[in-house]
Amino acid sequence: MQPLIEFCVSNLANGSQKALEILQKDPNLDIMEYGCLSYCGKCADTFFALVNGEVVTGETPEQLVDNIYRFLEENAMF
């Protein structure tokens, strides 16, 4: 089972698209896009993604990617 990274389309439009593009290059991740993840407050304030169901944020798309990988290291699935 691979880690699941979920993005909100509105957040992608606000700038997290770059993070998505970086993460899509990693064959060890499952990436999903949704119309809305119901985190509108987070979506309006910062770049974010759900990583295995947990919110991970970043001030820039690059920081979001770094924080996602850090989260995965600290919260290994197995």
Side-chain angles (χ1 to χ4, degrees), residues 5 7 23 49 51 56 64-72:
I5 316 298
F7 284 91
L23 294 168
V51 181
V56 176
L64 176 59
V65 170
D66 291 343
N67 291 347
I68 288 171
Y69 280 116
R70 185 175 304 113
F71 178 88
L72 291 173

Side-chain angles (χ1 to χ4, degrees), residues 2 5 8 10-11 13 19 21 24 26 33 35 40 43-45 51 54 56 58-59 67 70 72 77:
Q2 300 186 121
I5 316 298
C8 172
S10 294
N11 201 251
E21 292 169 0
Q24 283 179 325
D26 188 334
E33 299 174 40
C40 299
C43 191
D45 291 338
V51 181
E54 299 290 329
V56 176
E59 292 182 21
N67 291 347
R70 185 175 304 113
L72 291 173
M77 293 175 65

